[in-house]
Amino acid sequence: MHSGPPPDAPLLGLSVEALDKIVQSLSDPNWTTTDVCRNVILPATMEHKCSYAELLLKQNPHTSHVSLATCFVSHAWACSFADSVSVIKEFAAQNNQKKHFFWFDVTVVSQHEVSHRSQEWWSGTFRNEIGRLGQTLVILSPWECPIYTTRAWCLWEMFCSIQTNVKIDCRVPAVQQSRFISTLLTDFDTIMKSICSVDVLKAQAFLEDDRNMILGAIQSTVGPDRLNNLVLDQLRGWFADTAKSSIENVSDDQEGVGNLVQSVATLFESQVPSTRITNTYTPQL
């Protein structure tokens, strides 16, 4: 099961309708992306040994559900596939000025072969392809202890997105949002510490070779401390904006609002360039 690399040709993407069709076909709605790969993608593409996107093109060369990707989806395979697609659907509905096609690795990279690339390829071609798309959708799930920040692939993808100055949209699945907002009001420090904890040297990958390759690329380019700081800076900014938005959408007399306002004000005041941010969070900086 492979999250990368993308092919040298322009990256293909799937429509939200094609992704939702996969969700509707699942015999177990709680399957992770790994489960979907094993039980849906691999069997469907076994005959042609191709990606799911390529299979749809073989079945119908004129399909409207496969085209050049417009958005890179960065996610963890150990999370719910249905939750990830729900985030993609929400993004598509809120950004409907054009039809989006999503580079969602399990559906656009062949799961039947392992491709080997040099560290230079990862720090060059791969990064540039993310930059060409101009949009990265980051799925943080479950928010209580995001798997995303513990996966080497995810941290490298976010770094590439930051380095190429693409628009990064971090989101929590809709089914988790009410609990997320409630916890913001009652336990801000804990949720902040949970989400904004990054250490790429401790991050894991499904394949150890992938992890070694990613760490090698990091060591030869940005360095682990700098990468940690850049990713943490991005997450802190998203968290501060999300908390601020939450304040605007709750009543003044709701329990915990006063503490949240104070915490958010402190968080905004503590926002500093990533070169100065440490990769740990201390409550009430």
Side-chain angles (χ1 to χ4, degrees), residues 2 41-43 45-46 48-51 110-114:
H2 318 298
I41 303 299
L42 282 171
T45 58
M46 184 63 70
H48 297 287
K49 298 290 192 297
C50 63
S51 71
S110 173
Q111 301 303 310
H112 298 278
E113 58 186 21
V114 178

Side-chain angles (χ1 to χ4, degrees), residues 67-78:
S67 187
L68 295 182
T70 61
C71 180
F72 186 94
V73 180
S74 186
H75 69 109
W77 278 48

Side-chain angles (χ1 to χ4, degrees), residues 63-87:
T63 179
S64 62
H65 297 300
V66 181
S67 187
L68 295 182
T70 61
C71 180
F72 186 94
V73 180
S74 186
H75 69 109
W77 278 48
C79 296
S80 161
F81 181 84
D83 281 358
S84 293
V85 173
S86 75
V87 172

Side-chain angles (χ1 to χ4, degrees), residues 243-259:
K244 180 175 179 292
S245 177
S246 300
I247 293 172
E248 297 170 351
N249 291 294
V250 297
S251 60
D252 293 341
D253 58 353
Q254 187 168 337
E255 182 180 358
V257 171
N259 290 335

Side-chain angles (χ1 to χ4, degrees), residues 1-5 37 42 77 103-115 153 206-207 210:
M1 291 170 281
H2 318 298
S3 59
C37 179
L42 282 171
W77 278 48
W103 193 92
F104 193 26
D105 51 12
V106 68
T107 63
V108 296
V109 175
S110 173
Q111 301 303 310
H112 298 278
E113 58 186 21
V114 178
S115 297
W153 272 114
F206 183 78
L207 297 176
D210 282 356

